[in-house]
Amino acid sequence: MSEKIHRSVPVRPSPTLEDLATAAGVSRSTASRAINGGSRVSPEAQAAVDAAVVSLGYTPNRAARSLVTRRTSSIALVINEPDARVMMDPFFAAVITGVTEALRETEMQLVLLMSRAGGDASRTVRYLRGGHVDGAIVVSHHKADGWTEDLAASGLPTVFIGRPWDTGLGIHYVDVDSFEGGRLAALHLAATGRTRLGTVTGPLDMTAAVDRLAGWNTGLREAGLPPGPVAEGDFTTPGGAEAAALLLAEDEGLDGIFAASDIMARGVIMALQASGRSVPEDVGVVGFDNHLTAPGELPLTTINQPMVETATKAGRLLLADIEDTRSNRDPVIFPARLVMRASTAV
Amino acid sequence: MSEKIHRSVPVRPSPTLEDLATAAGVSRSTASRAINGGSRVSPEAQAAVDAAVVSLGYTPNRAARSLVTRRTSSIALVINEPDARVMMDPFFAAVITGVTEALRETEMQLVLLMSRAGGDASRTVRYLRGGHVDGAIVVSHHKADGWTEDLAASGLPTVFIGRPWDTGLGIHYVDVDSFEGGRLAALHLAATGRTRLGTVTGPLDMTAAVDRLAGWNTGLREAGLPPGPVAEGDFTTPGGAEAAALLLAEDEGLDGIFAASDIMARGVIMALQASGRSVPEDVGVVGFDNHLTAPGELPLTTINQPMVETATKAGRLLLADIEDTRSNRDPVIFPARLVMRASTAV
DNA sequence: TTGTACGCGTTATCAG
DNA sequence: CTGATAACGCGTACAA
């Protein structure tokens, strides 16, 4: 045991499996077996190794381990948003919370892969294909994300949160019933006696936005109402406000608006009030997400979307997929439910 | 090139450095040098390797690389919150955004380490000490987090966001000027003619909460006002509401409240309105964070806290620390600034 | 049940 | 400037 007095970097090398084995009085192999499955190792050897583990504070070297096992014990959460501002949407907090929940009690670590504006999508897919993670959860998928095929072809276990554009690729995904949500919004506004209805959609290069719009149109038809004005938003509050202004320009007698996210609904209400209209008296507003918790502002009628649960489900499915490549790949769809609050009171 | 027809797992092994070398007509060593620094390698060899890289789609095996370099090209973001709900605070979105920003243009990946209620703090510190990451950013640090010393002693480059409890450990940190923020809040409320002032603090096992409270008390003294009632909140909206109720019970003639976070200020306003008081007429309210973007609700006077920039700074400092262990360790404090809005109008 | 020996893909050392 | 060759720490046939 030599002791260097002046060591600029106070990092003592962590004990290796070799150290552990000698400390336990067994061979490397036995120590290895004891650490892992623990099969085919005598009770006394097991005990000796266990003791050595705690006394040495041994932690297996992940790099060395994954080099031979070809598993990394980590999964990627791919958030593909060019605009960093959307990160502020509670949606992502819910996703992170849910995925983390699925990973607890697991050795798996979560690697955050945020692709930014600079078109470094190739970098993301390279990383994913490079064997750095055992699987990936992809959220916030856009139509222009051409790498979806590459990813599917790579064979990396992958679960999408939100239906991918090309379901023909056999990609595993979980989603909330956006179509039904849009439909419920239309039916609810109609049921409260409103007849001139418009909608602020999400970015139409996302399936969630398209599905909500389709459900909305279906709901209008079922209610016997004509298709009203449609404006595309961007899932931000200012975007919602701008879109609402467009809607009002198209039909100033509008008495009901469905916004495809709560965040946008905020903007819609702001625009309505700025134009001298009151909510819900003049115009009823329905949001989507049920993520808002801002007492003090007008309670928003919205479509409940169990995002945390959805994300947790995605995590569990991915883990199962990693364990067994032939696991069930059927999409899982969570139901949408209308939550009525003051913004559509009659 | 043999082709297996029935391959259950469509994963073709990614090309190795060996493959790359033969494809480029050079040796492994040269290929390696070409990939990395590129020093001491002839232009033609470099070109050959570069070409082979793109044609083969080569990606270095991270595990193998870090096994020998002892660097992992990844850093951890440690979020230490027992309650998953607080993740909904925009604060964390800002932190993630900021750190990600610091890492762009870098090969570094971000590993999210969220410790949950189950007291698996030891697991976190084991992971950190286990050499799985090159450094760590710790946010949301609580007094009871006993592992701070272990972490400091481990020599792992670490940067705290928010002053750690034991600054004697020489831990590198960045922070916003919480003290000054609290002071500004008190002075502002006093300047608007309010004299019976109370505050809802954050959890007092966090330095940010303690600092804001200290600044608040100092501000009161400077304004010649007596120390008012103090209630401890938990950085959530319901917690803010409860604390405000406590404040009112202590002094029902209160005409000004400072909440140590915007989220809590929402709860405060809710509680005030529920008690029949109006804001800002009866009671002025000041928040802290300047993260709220909820048009439709009362615009909140608050203390601006540049969290994204702070987090970015933390990321850059950590990178510098990893590069050069003897880098500057002086704490970096971002200034606080009062943003006046309607909630304290006179 | 245990131990020996080999290989995982890279970088670093050291002769050429 | 280049190319053998030796580590890096671990899992696992294979043999004992």
Side-chain angles (χ1 to χ4, degrees):
Chain A
M1 292 266 203
S2 74
E3 186 113 8
K4 301 199 186 108
I5 303 300
H6 290 296
R7 176 147 46 184
S8 58
V9 181
V11 168
R12 68 168 164 292
S14 37
T16 153
L17 186 57
E18 182 76 51
D19 304 334
L20 187 71
T22 44
V26 297
S27 76
R28 274 199 308 274
S29 330
T30 303
S32 173
R33 282 187 284 257
I35 288 176
N36 304 323
S39 78
R40 299 189 322 186
V41 37
S42 67
E44 44 271 23
Q46 180 74 36
V49 172
D50 289 345
V53 165
V54 299
S55 79
L56 266 64
Y58 172 76
T59 314
N61 180 314
R62 226 164 174 122
R65 173 176 280 179
S66 73
L67 184 56
V68 47
T69 61
R70 284 147 180 297
R71 300 215 9 196
T72 63
S73 294
S74 65
I75 68 170
L77 177 60
V78 182
I79 298 181
N80 204 267
E81 279 299 338
D83 189 346
R85 288 176 313 176
V86 301
M87 258 301 290
M88 295 298 159
D89 197 312
F91 173 84
F92 292 106
V95 168
I96 292 175
T97 302
V99 173
T100 301
E101 170 61 27
L103 262 41
R104 78 186 290 179
E105 312 289 320
T106 300
E107 285 295 298
M108 286 284 184
Q109 295 297 342
L110 187 62
V111 177
L112 217 54
L113 237 51
M114 301 186 52
S115 38
R116 309 113 189 148
D120 53 355
S122 67
R123 199 186 119 178
T124 299
V125 70
R126 268 218 324 275
Y127 183 83
L128 256 24
R129 301 192 49 160
H132 306 314
V133 292
D134 297 335
I137 293 179
V138 178
V139 69
S140 193
H141 168 58
H142 295 261
K143 193 166 194 171
D145 294 342
W147 43 267
T148 314
E149 304 172 354
D150 297 343
L151 188 55
S154 76
L156 182 76
T158 303
V159 176
F160 274 60
I161 293 181
R163 179 170 58 82
W165 278 98
D166 191 345
T167 53
L169 265 32
I171 293 179
H172 206 167
Y173 72 92
V174 302
D175 205 348
V176 72
D177 196 339
S178 285
F179 180 92
E180 180 64 8
R183 178 172 165 274
L184 288 175
L187 294 178
H188 171 69
L189 284 170
T192 56
R194 297 174 170 93
T195 56
R196 297 172 71 167
L197 310 181
T199 184
V200 174
T201 73
L204 292 175
D205 68 338
M206 304 186 70
T207 55
V210 170
D211 292 352
R212 289 167 201 184
L213 177 58
W216 167 258
N217 285 327
T218 299
L220 288 181
R221 205 176 319 119
E222 289 181 13
L225 294 176
V230 175
E232 183 173 358
D234 60 358
F235 283 151
T236 73
T237 296
E242 291 173 24
L246 259 44
L247 251 38
L248 293 174
E250 198 162 337
D251 177 3
E252 59 179 18
L254 226 53
D255 59 6
I257 297 182
F258 165 50
S261 86
D262 286 351
I263 296 270
M264 289 198 299
R266 273 189 178 151
V268 168
I269 292 174
M270 179 174 69
L272 287 170
Q273 293 174 338
S275 76
R277 293 169 174 81
S278 65
V279 180
E281 292 77 7
D282 298 329
V283 185
V285 176
V286 178
F288 200 114
D289 277 345
N290 196 20
H291 277 331
L292 253 43
T293 54
E297 79 179 323
L298 180 70
L300 183 69
T301 294
T302 190
I303 306 294
N304 182 68
Q305 184 184 23
M307 268 323 298
V308 176
E309 293 87 330
T310 302
T312 301
K313 185 68 180 177
R316 293 200 208 289
L317 288 177
L318 181 60
L319 291 178
D321 204 355
I322 292 171
E323 289 302 318
D324 173 16
T325 321
R326 301 171 301 97
S327 66
N328 185 6
R329 297 191 112 71
D330 293 336
V332 178
I333 311 294
F334 284 79
R337 179 171 56 80
L338 183 90
V339 180
M340 186 178 161
R341 300 210 183 89
S343 69
T344 57
V346 283
Chain B
M1 294 266 204
S2 75
E3 185 112 7
K4 302 201 186 109
I5 303 300
H6 290 296
R7 177 148 45 182
S8 57
V9 181
V11 169
R12 67 168 165 293
S14 38
T16 153
L17 186 59
E18 184 74 53
D19 304 335
L20 187 71
T22 46
V26 297
S27 75
R28 263 210 322 271
S29 322
T30 302
S32 176
R33 281 187 287 258
I35 288 175
N36 306 321
S39 78
R40 299 188 324 187
V41 37
S42 66
E44 43 270 22
Q46 180 73 291
V49 172
D50 288 346
V53 165
V54 300
S55 79
L56 266 63
Y58 171 78
T59 314
N61 180 314
R62 226 166 173 118
R65 173 177 283 178
S66 73
L67 184 56
V68 47
T69 61
R70 289 155 176 293
R71 304 232 343 214
T72 63
S73 294
S74 64
I75 69 169
L77 177 60
V78 182
I79 297 180
N80 204 266
E81 277 300 338
D83 190 346
R85 288 176 313 177
V86 301
M87 258 301 290
M88 295 296 159
D89 198 311
F91 173 83
F92 293 105
V95 168
I96 292 176
T97 301
V99 173
T100 300
E101 171 61 27
L103 262 42
R104 78 185 289 180
E105 312 289 320
T106 300
E107 285 295 298
M108 287 284 183
Q109 295 298 340
L110 186 63
V111 177
L112 216 54
L113 237 50
M114 301 186 52
S115 37
R116 309 113 189 150
D120 53 356
S122 66
R123 199 186 119 176
T124 298
V125 69
R126 268 217 325 276
Y127 182 84
L128 255 24
R129 301 193 48 157
H132 306 314
V133 292
D134 297 335
I137 293 179
V138 179
V139 68
S140 193
H141 168 57
H142 294 262
K143 193 167 195 171
D145 295 341
W147 43 266
T148 315
E149 303 171 355
D150 296 343
L151 188 55
S154 76
L156 183 75
T158 303
V159 176
F160 274 59
I161 293 182
R163 179 170 57 82
W165 279 97
D166 190 345
T167 52
L169 265 31
I171 293 178
H172 206 169
Y173 71 93
V174 303
D175 205 349
V176 73
D177 196 340
S178 286
F179 179 92
E180 179 65 8
R183 179 172 165 274
L184 288 176
L187 293 179
H188 172 67
L189 284 170
T192 56
R194 298 174 169 94
T195 56
R196 298 171 70 168
L197 310 180
T199 183
V200 175
T201 73
L204 291 174
D205 67 339
M206 304 185 71
T207 54
V210 171
D211 292 352
R212 289 168 201 185
L213 176 58
W216 167 257
N217 285 327
T218 298
L220 288 182
R221 203 176 322 118
E222 290 181 12
L225 295 175
V230 175
E232 183 173 357
D234 60 357
F235 282 152
T236 72
T237 297
E242 291 173 25
L246 259 46
L247 251 38
L248 293 175
E250 198 162 336
D251 178 2
E252 58 179 18
L254 226 53
D255 59 5
I257 297 181
F258 164 51
S261 85
D262 286 351
I263 296 270
M264 290 198 299
R266 272 188 179 153
V268 168
I269 293 174
M270 179 174 68
L272 288 171
Q273 292 174 339
S275 76
R277 293 169 174 82
S278 64
V279 180
E281 291 78 7
D282 298 328
V283 185
V285 176
V286 177
F288 200 114
D289 277 347
N290 197 19
H291 277 330
L292 253 44
T293 55
E297 77 179 323
L298 180 69
L300 183 70
T301 293
T302 190
I303 306 294
N304 182 68
Q305 185 184 23
M307 268 322 299
V308 175
E309 292 85 333
T310 303
T312 301
K313 186 67 180 176
R316 295 200 207 289
L317 288 177
L318 182 59
L319 292 177
D321 204 355
I322 291 171
E323 288 301 319
D324 173 17
T325 321
R326 302 171 301 96
S327 66
N328 185 6
R329 297 191 113 71
D330 294 336
V332 177
I333 311 293
F334 284 79
R337 180 171 55 82
L338 182 90
V339 179
M340 185 177 163
R341 300 211 182 88
S343 69
T344 57
V346 283

